[in-house]
Amino acid sequence: MNIKPEQVDSIIKSLPHNIRGVVIYGSNEGMIATLSQQFIKAISPDVYDAFHVSYLEMSDITADVGALYAEFNAQSLMGGRRVVVIKEASNLLTKTIKELFSSSPSDTLLIATSTSLKTKDSLAVLAKDDDCFYGIGCYDDRDEDITAFASKFISKNGFSIDNSSFQLLCSRLSNDRKISANELDKLITYMGSKKNIELKDILTVISDTSASSQEDLCYFVALGQTEKAIASYNRLIFEGEQPVALIRAISYHFMKLLDCAVKMEKGETADKVVFALRPPLMFFRKNAFISQLKVWNRSRIMNALTLLYQTERECKTTDFPAEQNASFTIMRIANGVKRFK
């Protein structure tokens, strides 16, 4: 059966004995590692206890499937349930696990982890359809996931933090939980005996590994910071983002500007319209957004949106390289800001 990552905390408090396997897969390597350890600790508090925990690589099983059968059926000399963890599991395991579970009465918990499996792969489908399996998809954290993870981490370690500092912290964390966890560990180590995390602590310790790079690009474009916009765009393309996705992100940003500009034409103040935005802006974005409203009126925004929509269409329908097309549009819009000031 499929479960969500946020359900794991409550499940492992009393892990059902009929659960014989867990498949944890997806693109978020850090979340996979975290959840895997949680399930291991539900059986063995020490994740490196050789009597209760065994780790196998997929290559080990491919070379000798008997290694999996032997580990799964082994009994601990110290008594109690055991765990077998398979790293970078593949669909080659699907048939083997079916046979293993049907032929063995062992209560060993089998944990298969993989960053390459997809939801429609046979091993993930097996976990979804079998009542003695948990299947957990782990993908890049959304803003609310990052917030929840950071809040839990800080509380668990006995620290306090004010709202402004917390917003800055979350804005700098990555959508890969492993990277975020490393950054938070650095912060906790840096704090020492001091228990209240302040803005200066975050600025000193936390690298800007944020998932908000697309948002940075939008702000660079709308503020007319051409060099930064192009550098940000090139970095995102290098990291695997699609030109159309970036153009859409910029379009969405200009739609927010348009909504605010229309309300300001009716007499509302910039502070009021920005405060009413949903989802709300991070506090450190507010001044930059208001600065953009001073430059971008309704007519200019509509012109920018027309160009962005045209670019998106051309990226999908013409032979002109999409990366160059999107880059040229970003440069045109950012350079145009200089004429408005």
Side-chain angles (χ1 to χ4, degrees):
M1 72 192 81
N2 281 347
I3 62 172
K4 296 179 180 179
E6 53 266 30
Q7 293 177 267
V8 171
D9 281 346
S10 60
I11 287 173
I12 61 172
K13 290 178 181 177
S14 181
L15 185 64
H17 205 74
N18 69 307
I19 296 299
R20 306 181 71 191
V22 183
V23 178
I24 311 173
Y25 61 93
S27 59
N28 196 325
E29 183 182 353
M31 187 184 295
I32 292 172
T34 298
L35 296 182
S36 175
Q37 288 208 353
Q38 284 185 267
F39 276 101
I40 295 170
K41 289 180 178 180
I43 306 297
S44 171
D46 182 358
V47 298
Y48 298 110
D49 181 349
F51 291 106
H52 292 99
V53 186
S54 176
Y55 294 91
L56 294 174
E57 297 288 344
M58 188 62 207
S59 56
D60 299 330
I61 300 170
T62 303
D64 179 16
V65 72
L68 174 57
Y69 278 84
E71 287 294 346
F72 187 78
N73 288 298
Q75 294 184 341
S76 171
L77 295 175
M78 306 300 291
R81 199 175 182 187
R82 296 181 67 252
V83 186
V84 174
V85 183
I86 304 171
K87 298 180 178 180
E88 284 308 315
S90 75
N91 289 319
L92 294 174
L93 273 179
T94 307
K95 183 179 179 181
T96 300
I97 290 177
K98 284 182 179 179
E99 294 175 349
L100 184 65
F101 281 7
S102 64
S103 64
S104 173
S106 173
D107 66 352
T108 295
L109 180 67
L110 182 66
I111 301 175
T113 66
S114 176
T115 55
S116 59
L117 281 179
K118 305 293 189 298
T119 53
K120 293 185 178 180
D121 285 340
S122 61
L123 187 55
V125 172
L126 173 65
K128 173 188 174 184
D129 295 340
D130 196 321
D131 289 340
C132 69
F133 248 117
Y134 283 143
I136 312 173
C138 301
Y139 301 100
D140 289 348
D141 282 338
R142 298 165 297 179
D143 288 347
E144 55 266 35
D145 298 323
I146 294 172
T147 300
F149 176 67
S151 178
K152 180 180 176 182
F153 194 100
I154 291 170
S155 175
K156 180 181 177 181
N157 286 277
F159 288 84
S160 61
I161 185 170
D162 64 79
N163 186 55
S164 294
S165 300
F166 183 67
Q167 286 193 51
L168 177 62
L169 172 64
C170 292
S171 75
R172 289 193 161 209
L173 293 178
S174 171
N175 57 350
D176 185 314
R177 190 162 296 188
K178 184 175 183 180
I179 297 174
S180 293
N182 288 339
E183 290 298 312
L184 288 169
D185 280 332
K186 279 178 13 185
L187 178 62
I188 297 305
T189 302
Y190 171 81
M191 294 300 295
S193 59
K194 180 185 172 186
K195 290 298 181 181
N196 181 45
I197 300 171
E198 300 177 358
L199 208 63
K200 61 181 180 181
D201 301 318
I202 296 165
L203 292 170
T204 301
V205 179
I206 302 295
S207 304
D208 191 353
T209 58
S210 66
S212 63
S213 297
Q214 284 193 12
E215 190 174 55
D216 291 336
L217 171 62
C218 296
Y219 276 74
F220 292 147
V221 172
L223 287 168
Q225 298 173 333
T226 307
E227 291 184 5
K228 289 184 177 180
I230 295 301
S232 177
Y233 171 79
N234 288 335
R235 183 176 64 252
L236 288 165
I237 291 296
F238 179 77
E239 291 173 355
E241 295 284 358
Q242 295 300 311
V244 168
L246 299 180
I247 291 297
R248 283 179 180 170
I250 298 170
S251 297
Y252 176 70
H253 182 79
F254 274 89
M255 286 297 295
K256 286 196 294 185
L257 286 172
L258 179 61
D259 180 54
C260 291
V262 170
K263 290 177 180 177
M264 288 173 64
E265 286 179 359
K266 297 178 181 178
E268 295 188 32
T269 65
D271 281 330
K272 184 176 180 180
V273 297
V274 170
F275 181 78
L277 281 173
R278 294 294 179 272
L281 296 180
M282 288 287 192
F283 78 97
F284 58 90
R285 296 287 192 193
K286 180 180 175 182
N287 289 339
F289 196 87
I290 290 176
S291 295
Q292 293 167 37
L293 288 172
K294 295 176 181 177
V295 174
W296 292 95
N297 58 30
R298 185 206 290 243
S299 174
R300 292 166 182 169
I301 294 171
M302 290 302 297
N303 289 337
L305 284 170
T306 299
L307 179 57
L308 288 164
Y309 294 151
Q310 178 184 340
T311 301
E312 181 178 344
R313 185 170 59 253
E314 290 174 351
C315 285
K316 296 176 181 177
T317 60
T318 68
D319 293 330
F320 191 76
E323 291 181 9
Q324 294 180 29
N325 198 351
S327 177
F328 183 60
T329 294
I330 287 170
M331 190 180 303
R332 283 181 63 185
I333 295 174
N335 282 337
V337 176
K338 298 172 185 176
R339 300 195 304 270
F340 306 152
K341 292 181 177 180

